Amino acid sequence: MSILETQNLTHVYSRGTPFEKVAVDNVSLSVDEGELLGIIGHTGSGKSTFIQHLNGLLKPTAGKVLFQGRDIHASKDALRAVRFGVGLVFQYPEYQLFEETVFQDVSFGPKNMGLGEDEIRERVYEAAAFVGVGRELMEVSPLELSGGQKRRVAIAGVIAMRPRVLILDEPTAGLDPAGRESILENISQFQRETGAAVVLISHSMDDIARFAQRLIVLHEGRLVMDGTPAQVFDRANELKDMGLTVPMATEIALALRARGVELPESVYTTKYLRKLLTALREGGGPC
Amino acid sequence: MLKDITLGQYFPGNTVVHRLDPRTKLLWLLGYIVALFLAKNIWGYALMLGVLITESALAKIKPKTLLSGLKPLIFIVIFTAVVNLFYGTGEPLWQWWILKITAEGIRKAVFMALRIMLLVCGTFLLTYTTSPLQLTDGLERLLGPLKKLRVPVQELAMMMSIALRFIPTLIEETDKIMSAQKARGASFDTGKLSERAKALLPLLVPLFVSAFRRADELATAMECRCYSGGEGRTRMKQLVYRRRDLVTGIVMVLILASAIVLRTV
């Protein structure tokens, strides 16, 4: 069942001036409850503009955004409820930390919801646990933390609102490999345990291939592909024409196939590729 | 919304006005202001209006763009005009209690409003046609003689160009942090005044933190490139006076002379 939906969403920047630019062009998309949806697209493809419509930060030039079936711009109160129901984590969210302690910063969202103290405490600890921030850090100033920890705290600040849809704009940008891995694991765990839908923007095709259940591709503001990772990465050549890459495993599989090794379609995770190649070797193939 | 601020904006172009030496343009502005304050009758203002129109036509700046810069100042212009309206002496045309309007009052009000608008438009023409970098360069050279009095002219110019350079960055950053806090349910435009002031905290703290971080990074980057103040620095783009600068200077002298002559008309 769809929880968040856009209908013919269009956004034009600086309308009526020489700087006019169509950032999002007639995008209709529905996010199903509990799914992990990946969004990929080149820089400037409209991804960031698009997701800012999903919690009502930007108002569409044309078209509608529906959350749980209702137009989010119907009334001011509805819009506020949407902010809490659709959590949005911006790129480099660590720059938004401002409170004296980690605990206070994570509780900013729940406090704005008007919750009671006990409820807030419960949610803060729950959110901190999801992103792997220990209780010993709760009374530390967020400015004293390392970059990776700050990022986790910032994500916890959004998770603490218990959103039904969590949107993350490149949550792993600028982190080391171990940090990327564990943040993505945390997010995936959040999705499984709470049943919330997660929308993940990433430039790393390998990450997307591993975690996303469904994948959409934006190009010049338009929705050009929508399907399972297998369906999308099978159109590797089209992706490359758009200036995008494919996962390393797909790249290798394509190169091998070009050299006459018989491999099935839809290879996009390293795990699957390794299984295929091991099977080939044991079967006496050219590997 | 914040992005709509046009103050001090630069419109790139390749007209005569754009190509003039920034020093010439700064001195021109000085002369223009002096001439504007010399004007005291209709002929004087007509001359200055003519100068401004010619200048903007040469710079290919549309009158609409020029006037849009006046928008934030509209209150000041109207306020000045109204105050002047009631301060004339002589035969009242209209009187109520202690307020009276005279022919001289009307004249003064119109001239005052005109003077402010001409002043602002003339200044905007300078920033519209001169990049901030050129502007600080020109200022630094013009203030050069003050170095003898131990005024740190070069450092001041560097500070000014850095400040100008970071205005758009900070505006963008403010927008970003505002969106991020709004996504967590903060609201900046509702509630009582005290609540609104408090609501600014989640915006100001991250903004200050990032401004200091940026300043720190910039200082490191400058040191990595061996920046050590003004002593012995040479420039990639040398400022050279050309013939058009000379012509501009002569025109300004003529304008100033006419402004003085027109006072006696």
Side-chain angles (χ1 to χ4, degrees), chain A residues 106-127:
Chain A
V106 177
S107 62
F108 181 66
K111 238 188 242 163
N112 284 328
M113 295 169 84
L115 299 173
E117 229 171 90
D118 293 335
E119 173 87 29
I120 291 178
R121 179 165 307 121
E122 190 194 318
R123 287 182 174 218
V124 171
Y125 286 142
E126 180 195 272

Side-chain angles (χ1 to χ4, degrees), chain A residues 183-198:
Chain A
I183 280 197
L184 287 170
E185 286 292 352
N186 290 147
I187 292 168
S188 160
Q189 188 193 352
F190 168 79
Q191 178 234 1
R192 286 194 309 268
E193 284 182 19
T194 63
V198 171

Side-chain angles (χ1 to χ4, degrees), chain A residues 89-99 105 142-158 169-175 183, chain B residues 173 176-177 180-181 184 202 205-207 209-210 213:
Chain A
V89 180
F90 277 83
Q91 245 175 67
Y92 300 103
E94 54 271 32
Y95 295 144
Q96 75 190 29
L97 302 175
F98 70 99
E99 277 284 12
D105 206 284
L143 299 180
E144 286 169 25
L145 302 176
S146 73
Q149 282 171 323
K150 276 187 201 165
R151 176 93 41 109
R152 285 163 194 277
V153 170
I155 296 175
V158 175
D169 193 350
E170 294 208 49
T172 57
L175 295 182
I183 280 197
Chain B
E173 188 109 354
K176 239 190 239 164
I177 296 172
Q181 305 299 26
R184 293 207 280 167
V205 173
L207 201 59
V209 171
S210 86
R213 185 177 46 82

Side-chain angles (χ1 to χ4, degrees), chain A residues 23-82:
Chain A
V24 178
D25 192 358
N26 203 13
V27 173
S28 299
L29 172 77
S30 109
V31 181
D32 288 338
E33 220 151 317
E35 77 173 332
L36 208 162
L37 173 75
I39 300 184
I40 55 178
H42 207 255
T43 313
S45 60
K47 296 174 302 216
S48 296
T49 308
F50 177 67
I51 58 164
Q52 285 187 53
H53 282 90
L54 299 182
N55 73 343
L57 280 174
L58 290 177
K59 217 175 168 180
T61 312
K64 265 189 197 164
V65 182
L66 306 177
F67 176 59
Q68 294 176 325
R70 277 189 297 271
D71 187 346
I72 64 169
H73 289 285
S75 75
K76 248 196 158 154
D77 290 337
L79 190 60
R80 218 171 139 73
V82 167

Side-chain angles (χ1 to χ4, degrees), chain B residues 72-119:
Chain B
L73 295 165
I74 225 149
F75 175 75
I76 296 177
V77 173
I78 292 176
F79 182 77
T80 320
V82 169
V83 167
N84 274 284
L85 194 60
F86 296 114
Y87 266 85
T89 49
E91 195 59 31
L93 295 172
W94 176 88
Q95 194 158 14
W96 178 75
W97 192 37
I98 54 163
L99 299 174
K100 62 175 187 213
I101 294 177
T102 63
E104 200 213 327
I106 294 174
R107 212 177 62 101
K108 259 194 172 169
V110 172
F111 281 172
M112 244 344 186
L114 204 58
R115 180 179 284 177
I116 296 176
M117 289 196 280
L118 284 172
L119 188 68

Side-chain angles (χ1 to χ4, degrees), chain A residues 209-269:
Chain A
R210 272 182 40 224
F211 288 98
Q213 294 158 350
R214 185 172 146 217
L215 202 50
I216 64 164
V217 182
L218 289 182
H219 184 59
E220 289 171 355
R222 274 167 295 124
L223 182 70
V224 290
M225 293 186 204
D226 183 349
T228 62
Q231 287 166 341
V232 170
F233 289 128
D234 277 347
R235 296 160 76 179
N237 287 331
E238 285 171 67
L239 286 174
K240 283 182 185 170
D241 285 344
M242 285 184 250
L244 295 168
T245 55
V246 291
M248 193 52 87
T250 311
E251 196 81 59
I252 293 172
L254 281 175
L256 286 174
R257 217 176 294 141
R259 284 176 169 75
V261 183
E262 270 179 49
L263 285 173
E265 292 260 302
S266 314
V267 180
Y268 58 88
T269 61

